[in-house]
Amino acid sequence: MRINFTIFFLAAFILSSFASAYAQNTIYGKIVDEKGSALPGVAILIKESKNGTITDNKGEFRLSPSEKKCTIEISGVGLKKQLIAIDFDKGSQLNLGTVVMLENTQLLSEVVVEADETAFLQQKAFSVTAVDAKPMQIRNMDVNQLLNRTSGVRIRETGGLGSKFSFTLNGLSGNQVKIFIDDIPMDIMGRAYGLNNFPVNLIDRVEVYKGVVPINLGSDALGGSVNIVTDNSVQSFLDASYSFGSFNTHRAALIGRKYFKDSGFSISLKSFYNYSANNYTMYGIEAFDENSQPYTTDTKRFHDTYKSMMGHVEVGFNDRKWADKFMIGAAFAELDQDLQTSFSLNPPFGEVKELEDSYFFNLNFRKSDIGIKNLDLNLFAQYSEVNNTKIDTSSYVYNWQGGRKPNINPTWGEALRIKTYFDYVQTSFLQRAFLNYDITNNQSINLNYITTHFERQGENRFGTSEEEPFRSPNTLTKHVAGLSYEINLFEQDLSVIPAVKYYNFATKTRNVLTSIDGAVSIEDLSTSLGEFGYSLALRYYVTRDFYLKSSYEKGYRIPEPDEIFGDGLTVLANPFLLPESANNFNFGGQYAFVFNTDNSLQVGFNLFHRDVHNFIRERNNGRLNQHENVLDALISGLEVDIKYKYKERFNINGNLTWQKFINNTEFSSTGNPNPTFGLRIPNEPYLFANLGLSYTFKPIFDKVELFTYYNFNYVHSFLLGYDILSGFQNEIPTQYLQNVGVTALGPQKRHSVSFEVSNIFNALAYDEFKLQKPGRAFNLKWRYFIN
């Protein structure tokens, strides 16, 4: 390991010394809107070389062209482009001063083509896909649905709106892929704050990092991460939307901000509400008659209502001398869910419920040039409390017709062998410190430190003994520190980012022991571990239209509270789980074909390989699940992306992912041969693809703009259990899902109405454990936006 560190940092210092020999021309300035407010994320592109940068949080930028004379293009979403001629004959330092950008009143196309800031992000050395969410905000969709159309990504849900889901990226899933919101881990905020609750109105873009995770996302992600980026500007606006659709589904969102420029004071609100009866029809379900004889039937779900809501208020100051941003926030979220099934269809539940409410308070401080020029500091702290209740106290057994009969044992529940009214309180504290220092225009250093402390305490209130594992607190503490160095060479054609991370965790858990005679006792367990990880990311422009990327990471992931402690109902505890480690490799590239002013094509690919040790997977034990370590797993695969655009009106976007995911454990921990060695790990799709088409019409009916879209999703059949099992019951069949929709946008883009039909041919859809998802559904969404 020391040898690897030495190689990384020796290479970094050599490159740094080499770069300092360059005498570079420099352009710098600040980008503002018509009101004088700074515009972060605006793209500055050198048209001759296609190199560029984006503005920082203060709207400022620095750029070093290799050309003596060039033209720069300044552009951003919703802004009119500006072209500025540059001539360095009069000196090597050129200050453009303050550049005012005007609003572009033309329609933003719906298509999934990156906005300028997302395009520049994808040109970073990391293997990253950036998706611009702004054009999607008028559609009736959540963040999960947006991500599910990205190469390498599968969102696997257990049912309809609000159901539990597993996020899969390049074969790694669940907690192995970390979810962030504005660089902060979301895992401490509770289920109501999950991606399947977030409407796209609340976000600006989504960043999907595959393999190597940048230092600013300083958590213990194993094989990648997703960063949800919200609107971090200071402009005042109001965004309200409401949608309704099949299965009595209602979704609403209200987002807004008021900014007082003279004082810098601002107040913002983010909120949403979701409700669905989820009473969709399931087809070909095995049911049982009064004599317990099986038969096949089509039936509606009858106990699957879901409701969630969230409100987050922030107040503070922006663009002050003492802080670029200082915000204090408070949020409340609530979830109320009926549970229809566990991890198999039979028997259905008729009274099992889950309730949750959560609170959190956050503090966010950002300051550029803090004490030293080009030294930026970001501090974030958050305290959260999640109160979760799972209720399984029914004395009946239900069937798919909604009928019921008394349980043969009155002490049994529907989901468990013992009636349960399980309450737990989980408190969490997170703090993060991030430093960025720009040594030169082409060199920077990043330092990030994040620590998270979880404490969970609870009890089963339904007549169990006082000796329960959660009567006293179970705790988990994680520390992750990271240091990275970035340098751009050869007129920014070559980008090199070496990094090192340190992971540390400690747990205190209580395990239930049952002796042969049935006596129950509690065992206290303590575990701690510290490990170093490291990474290297490279990107090189072969031509101005073609670049290649390569990256490697040795990473670790610490088990999450639900994996160690269980959920109190359908997921059992496993206090003996070990951290996962992985060697991650990526190699990819992208070529842009510009045929003429009307036609352009982008083709990208990414090869990936993951060698995971102590791999954690969720194993199904009938009604219950439990997380377990698989000693070794190998994942290899290929992603391909294709994007075609014609006259800014017609767009085609397609991607395909193939991955091979095998159990690589030859012998068990006891030395016995592993019968599943070399077999595909089950319940994981290995071939899937997406296709999207859209067309934007010219304005009609007094400036009413109209566009249509079509999406196709393909998932090849895969196994529910290992290949040593046989029969059609062990296979999840091939799926073909299609959506179509139309959107009308009124004058000044204030009002929009969208109508969409999902799964238009009512095809059978499955994800997790062969649980059926909703069939054909109709949705109508109205949105009002003003700024």
Side-chain angles (χ1 to χ4, degrees):
M1 186 178 294
R2 291 179 180 175
I3 294 175
N4 288 319
F5 289 161
T6 303
I7 292 173
F8 284 155
F9 287 101
L10 180 59
F13 283 126
I14 291 173
L15 292 171
S16 175
S17 300
F18 182 67
S20 65
Y22 279 85
Q24 295 173 322
N25 299 319
T26 302
I27 309 168
Y28 58 95
K30 182 175 182 178
I31 310 298
V32 300
D33 62 13
E34 297 172 80
K35 300 177 182 179
S37 300
L39 291 175
V42 172
I44 295 87
L45 175 71
I46 302 169
K47 292 183 68 66
E48 286 76 7
S49 65
K50 299 299 183 183
N51 290 326
T53 186
I54 60 174
T55 54
D56 60 19
N57 291 328
K58 295 188 295 182
E60 297 178 353
F61 72 93
R62 298 179 72 89
L63 187 60
S64 298
S66 58
E67 300 85 356
K68 286 290 185 180
K69 294 183 179 181
C70 61
T71 301
I72 64 170
E73 178 184 279
I74 305 175
S75 60
V77 176
L79 303 173
K80 291 184 177 179
K81 291 182 180 179
Q82 287 198 40
L83 299 178
I84 299 177
I86 303 297
D87 187 346
F88 285 106
D89 287 341
K90 297 181 180 180
S92 61
Q93 302 291 313
L94 182 57
N95 184 2
L96 297 184
T98 299
V99 180
V100 179
M101 300 293 287
L102 303 179
E103 182 182 1
N104 187 354
T105 58
Q106 295 182 355
L107 171 67
L108 294 174
S109 175
E110 177 274 340
V111 299
V112 189
V113 174
E114 293 83 4
D116 292 303
E117 59 263 46
T118 60
F120 278 113
L121 180 64
Q122 292 197 165
Q123 294 170 17
K124 301 285 283 184
F126 305 104
S127 179
V128 56
T129 299
V131 182
D132 182 27
K134 299 185 196 72
M136 299 290 192
Q137 291 174 347
I138 54 180
R139 290 182 53 179
N140 182 46
M141 64 191 316
D142 54 44
V143 178
N144 267 358
Q145 293 168 320
L146 179 65
L147 284 166
N148 213 22
R149 297 169 185 173
T150 305
S151 62
V153 172
R154 282 300 298 164
I155 309 292
R156 297 182 297 148
E157 298 172 309
T158 59
L161 179 66
S163 61
K164 290 186 178 180
F165 69 92
S166 177
F167 186 99
T168 300
L169 176 62
N170 292 162
L172 296 175
S173 61
N175 294 316
Q176 293 161 337
V177 181
K178 287 292 184 180
I179 310 297
F180 298 80
I181 181 166
D182 294 326
D183 299 354
I184 303 301
M186 293 181 66
D187 52 10
I188 70 172
M189 301 178 186
R191 278 194 60 208
Y193 224 78
L195 296 183
N196 57 342
N197 289 301
F198 261 66
V200 291
N201 302 48
L202 270 68
I203 68 173
D204 273 7
R205 70 176 184 271
V206 180
E207 305 165 358
V208 182
Y209 293 91
K210 303 168 183 180
V212 177
V213 177
I215 288 299
N216 61 294
L217 303 182
S219 190
D220 54 332
L222 188 70
S225 64
V226 176
N227 189 30
I228 308 300
V229 182
T230 63
D231 179 6
N232 287 304
S233 65
V234 296
Q235 291 93 340
S236 298
F237 73 95
L238 177 66
D239 186 345
S241 65
Y242 170 74
S243 69
F244 66 93
S246 300
F247 321 125
N248 195 20
T249 300
H250 303 263
R251 309 190 74 166
L254 179 63
I255 312 109
R257 180 189 301 113
K258 180 62 178 176
Y259 175 63
F260 301 89
K261 185 177 179 180
D262 292 340
S263 64
F265 179 77
S266 70
I267 179 170
S268 64
L269 168 70
K270 299 174 184 177
S271 62
F272 61 72
Y273 172 82
N274 301 305
Y275 175 87
S276 180
N278 283 322
N279 55 345
Y280 58 90
T281 299
M282 298 192 302
Y283 300 92
I285 300 301
E286 183 182 55
F288 297 88
D289 60 22
E290 295 180 354
N291 299 318
S292 299
Q293 295 300 310
Y295 67 99
T296 301
T297 185
D298 300 337
T299 185
K300 285 189 175 183
R301 298 169 79 95
F302 59 89
H303 181 68
D304 204 16
T305 300
Y306 177 81
K307 180 176 70 176
S308 67
M309 62 183 70
M310 185 277 292
H312 183 194
V313 177
E314 283 191 305
V315 297
F317 295 88
N318 290 278
D319 297 330
R320 301 294 93 186
K321 290 182 179 180
W322 51 275
D324 299 333
K325 182 175 185 177
F326 177 80
M327 302 296 291
I328 298 175
F332 169 76
E334 184 178 81
L335 177 150
D336 185 338
Q337 182 173 24
D338 295 335
L339 299 180
Q340 182 73 88
T341 65
S342 180
F343 298 97
S344 59
L345 286 174
N346 282 303
F349 302 153
E351 299 180 41
V352 182
K353 288 184 67 71
E354 179 177 3
L355 306 171
E356 184 178 283
D357 59 72
S358 57
Y359 312 81
F360 72 77
F361 305 92
N362 66 277
L363 171 67
N364 193 354
F365 172 83
R366 296 180 184 175
K367 181 69 175 73
S368 301
D369 302 330
I370 185 164
I372 303 175
K373 181 68 174 176
N374 297 328
L375 178 64
D376 302 333
L377 172 66
N378 181 201
L379 299 175
F380 184 90
Q382 180 170 303
Y383 170 82
S384 66
E385 178 179 304
V386 178
N387 302 282
N388 186 279
T389 302
K390 292 182 173 64
I391 304 171
D392 180 19
T393 59
S394 172
S395 298
Y396 296 93
V397 177
Y398 283 79
N399 60 38
W400 277 114
Q401 284 67 47
R404 66 181 190 179
K405 61 181 180 180
N407 204 319
I408 59 174
N409 188 328
T411 66
W412 290 355
E414 295 183 78
L416 298 175
R417 288 294 185 180
I418 183 173
K419 290 184 177 181
T420 299
Y421 195 113
F422 184 70
D423 267 335
Y424 73 76
V425 177
Q426 178 172 293
T427 57
S428 310
F429 180 73
L430 177 148
Q431 57 184 0
R432 172 184 181 258
F434 176 73
L435 279 170
N436 175 79
Y437 178 58
D438 292 329
I439 304 170
T440 67
N441 296 331
N442 290 314
Q443 298 178 81
S444 64
I445 294 178
N446 290 325
L447 175 65
N448 192 74
Y449 170 71
I450 187 168
T451 180
T452 313
H453 177 78
F454 299 90
E455 185 171 297
R456 182 180 292 189
Q457 187 170 8
E459 63 176 323
N460 184 1
R461 301 182 183 276
F462 204 90
T464 57
S465 66
E466 292 296 315
E467 283 299 318
E468 291 187 78
F470 284 101
R471 287 282 183 173
S472 60
N474 287 240
T475 64
L476 169 62
T477 303
K478 301 193 296 184
H479 304 271
V480 181
L483 175 68
S484 72
Y485 169 74
E486 180 175 359
I487 184 168
N488 295 290
L489 297 168
F490 309 122
E491 301 174 4
Q492 299 187 352
D493 283 343
L494 175 64
S495 178
V496 184
I497 308 177
V500 60
K501 287 183 180 180
Y502 177 70
Y503 308 84
N504 180 274
F505 86 104
T507 64
K508 292 182 179 179
T509 60
R510 311 188 81 210
N511 187 39
V512 179
L513 299 177
T514 304
S515 62
I516 297 177
D517 61 2
V520 175
S521 61
I522 299 294
E523 176 186 32
D524 292 322
L525 301 173
S526 296
T527 307
S528 62
L529 183 69
E531 293 284 357
F532 277 98
Y534 44 93
S535 65
L536 178 65
L538 306 168
R539 185 225 64 217
Y540 180 70
Y541 268 94
V542 181
T543 70
R544 69 177 188 175
D545 297 319
F546 177 44
Y547 63 76
L548 293 172
K549 293 182 180 183
S550 182
S551 59
Y552 164 77
E553 180 181 42
K554 172 69 172 181
Y556 290 86
R557 186 184 76 86
I558 300 160
E560 297 298 327
D562 274 353
E563 295 171 320
I564 297 175
F565 307 143
D567 71 350
L569 186 66
T570 58
V571 179
L572 298 174
N574 186 354
F576 302 103
L577 277 179
L578 298 173
E580 299 170 294
S581 65
N583 292 288
N584 299 322
F585 300 88
N586 285 279
F587 177 74
Q590 179 178 287
Y591 197 99
F593 301 86
V594 180
F595 303 110
N596 51 49
T597 56
D598 293 336
N599 295 270
S600 64
L601 176 68
Q602 285 184 1
V603 179
F605 75 95
N606 180 45
L607 293 163
F608 58 90
H609 178 77
R610 313 280 185 258
D611 185 0
V612 188
H613 301 275
N614 292 323
F615 177 83
I616 297 175
R617 67 181 292 262
E618 191 172 3
R619 178 169 56 88
N620 179 235
N621 297 320
R623 290 189 176 190
L624 306 178
N625 276 20
Q626 186 177 42
H627 292 89
E628 64 177 6
N629 287 111
V630 177
L631 295 183
D632 198 0
L634 285 178
I635 308 167
S636 300
L638 168 68
E639 304 168 352
V640 178
D641 277 280
I642 299 176
K643 300 174 183 177
Y644 170 75
K645 179 171 63 175
Y646 174 70
K647 283 189 174 181
E648 302 288 343
R649 291 193 176 277
F650 178 61
N651 294 264
I652 302 175
N653 303 275
N655 59 69
L656 180 143
T657 302
W658 173 86
Q659 57 196 24
K660 188 176 182 180
F661 190 5
I662 65 172
N663 187 328
N664 199 42
T665 305
E666 189 170 1
F667 298 96
S668 69
S669 57
T670 60
N672 296 320
N674 178 16
T676 61
F677 171 66
L679 299 180
R680 286 188 184 272
I681 292 182
N683 200 40
E684 297 282 351
Y686 67 89
L687 178 63
F688 47 93
N690 296 282
L691 175 67
L693 308 175
S694 69
Y695 185 81
T696 303
F697 294 89
K698 293 182 179 180
I700 57 176
F701 303 125
D702 191 25
K703 298 183 180 181
V704 172
E705 299 184 86
L706 187 73
F707 60 87
T708 59
Y709 47 89
Y710 165 84
N711 295 103
F712 171 75
N713 174 248
Y714 168 84
V715 182
H716 194 70
S717 61
F718 57 100
L719 295 179
L720 183 61
Y722 276 109
D723 207 14
I724 55 177
L725 303 175
S726 60
F728 74 94
Q729 291 290 348
N730 192 38
E731 182 180 81
I732 298 178
T734 299
Q735 300 167 64
Y736 309 88
L737 304 179
Q738 301 175 71
N739 303 338
V740 64
V742 59
T743 295
L745 192 62
Q748 288 83 49
K749 300 184 294 185
R750 291 188 176 182
H751 295 273
S752 66
V753 177
S754 296
F755 177 72
E756 181 169 337
V757 184
S758 57
N759 195 357
I760 55 178
F761 295 109
N762 204 31
L764 291 180
Y766 307 92
D767 272 334
E768 288 278 77
F769 306 107
K770 209 172 183 178
L771 298 174
Q772 281 193 31
K773 296 172 60 180
R776 180 169 46 240
F778 301 89
N779 291 283
L780 184 67
K781 177 179 179 177
W782 166 82
R783 182 190 184 215
Y784 176 76
F785 180 83
I786 186 172
N787 60 0

